[in-house]
Amino acid sequence: MGPGLRIRSGDGGLTLIESASFEEEGFIAAFTTRKGGWSPRPFDGLNMGFGVPDDPRNVRLNRIAALRALGLEPSLAAAMRQVHGDRIAEVTEALKGRGGLDHSTAFAETDGMYTALRGVALMATFADCVPVIIADRTGRKIGLVHAGWKGTALDIAAKLALRMGFEQGRAEDFMAVIGPCVGPCCYEVGEDVAATLVKAGGSGALETEGDAIRADLGLMNELRLVGLGFAPGRIERYEGCTSCEEDSFFSHRRDKGRTGRSAAIAAIAV
Ligand SMILES: [Zn+2]
């Protein structure tokens, strides 16, 4: 699983992965698994995404259970309609609660959010793409992004850090955790995608094996944050693969699109 990460269990088999170091600093940074929840196949059981053909009532129940397991108030949670872009929204007092339990009010065409509000959960959903949560310990802000290969090439994690006030002299204030995503073991990419990732500075995250090119998007996000100036010891990363770990995670690639979504949940603890 990786150093700094641990399991949190809730009612009905609910299982989340959370960062102990974020908790020590007064933040919540967690990733849901598919364990627990009310959704039927192929969304079983803790589907956190409204964007798949699961009954939205199940998603609402699942989100409420996961947020409550973390001590967060569901009605304050914010979520997005993700489009693999690089738009980032600040969740202010006037905007809290948008999208958390109702997809129609979610932040449109947005793949990143941050907030300075205590107790307001930020949620993003995933099935193989990379969740990155970033916190500013002294500025007291937290944010997250959804980064597939497009968002990774657009450098959305670094853009989030900069929007949150990252600068070289403040590197020690910032911490990041990169959640469960598809590993290079299960993520072969075509030449076009590989070329785009190389152009974005990701050659260190590509592996070739015969004719196959494999991308490690989690590693690429880590390398981009290190490149920006993050202290390497302040970046945690889940060690594993959403496609290989079928009992724990939804995987768009493995399940050929018919699957649920896990969530990254980030908040400043109340
Ligand atoms: Zn794998």
Side-chain angles (χ1 to χ4, degrees):
M1 193 159 68
L5 300 176
R6 65 180 177 213
I7 297 287
R8 177 187 288 244
S9 303
D11 295 339
L14 189 87
T15 305
L16 300 104
I17 295 160
E18 65 179 2
S19 162
S21 31
F22 272 65
E23 186 175 24
E24 279 163 23
E25 299 289 345
F27 296 108
I28 293 166
F31 307 96
T32 64
T33 69
R34 66 191 299 175
K35 293 175 185 169
W38 283 268
S39 301
R41 279 178 185 278
F43 312 110
D44 50 310
L46 193 79
N47 169 41
M48 297 288 280
F50 281 118
V52 298
D54 183 11
D55 186 332
R57 287 174 297 187
N58 295 332
V59 180
R60 220 165 281 131
L61 287 171
N62 293 342
R63 285 186 171 191
I64 289 169
L67 289 161
R68 288 211 175 127
L70 293 164
L72 291 163
E73 169 51 44
S75 65
L76 301 180
M80 310 174 281
R81 288 175 178 268
Q82 301 160 190
V83 291
H84 297 277
D86 65 350
R87 188 207 296 254
I88 295 165
E90 180 177 6
V91 179
T92 58
E93 195 66 42
L95 298 173
K96 68 187 184 190
R98 280 182 49 176
L101 299 178
D102 175 8
H103 203 38
S104 68
T105 59
F107 288 80
E109 293 181 7
T110 301
D111 286 86
M113 293 186 286
Y114 66 98
T115 192
L117 300 173
R118 285 158 61 113
V120 170
L122 310 178
M123 269 192 299
T125 57
F126 303 85
D128 289 342
C129 290
V130 187
V132 184
I133 299 175
I134 292 173
D136 174 353
R137 300 187 296 147
T138 52
R140 302 310 294 165
K141 290 193 186 82
I142 194 159
L144 52 63
V145 296
H146 158 255
W149 72 264
K150 287 182 186 169
T152 300
L154 288 167
D155 225 1
I156 187 171
K159 286 174 179 166
L160 171 69
L162 293 169
R163 278 283 294 277
M164 291 171 61
F166 182 90
E167 50 187 75
Q168 291 294 338
R170 296 192 57 224
E172 278 298 321
D173 293 341
F174 279 77
M175 55 201 298
V177 56
I178 298 169
C181 59
V182 68
C185 41
C186 299
Y187 195 59
E188 195 176 327
V189 295
E191 282 178 23
D192 287 1
V193 172
T196 304
L197 293 172
V198 167
K199 210 170 151 196
S203 51
L206 295 174
E207 305 164 4
T208 50
E209 189 186 308
D211 287 342
I213 311 170
R214 298 175 185 283
D216 188 337
L217 293 181
L219 174 62
M220 183 164 167
N221 277 278
E222 180 175 355
L223 294 174
R224 297 300 292 162
L225 290 178
V226 172
L228 185 69
F230 269 64
R234 291 251 180 249
I235 304 175
E236 292 170 346
R237 189 148 67 93
Y238 179 83
E239 293 166 2
C241 166
T242 47
S243 177
C244 289
E245 294 165 53
E246 189 166 3
D247 289 346
S248 293
F249 301 112
F250 301 109
S251 169
H252 185 77
R253 281 218 161 185
R254 182 194 64 224
D255 301 331
K256 302 190 170 42
R258 283 197 43 84
T259 193
R261 296 288 181 274
S262 297
I265 300 173
I268 304 172
V270 179

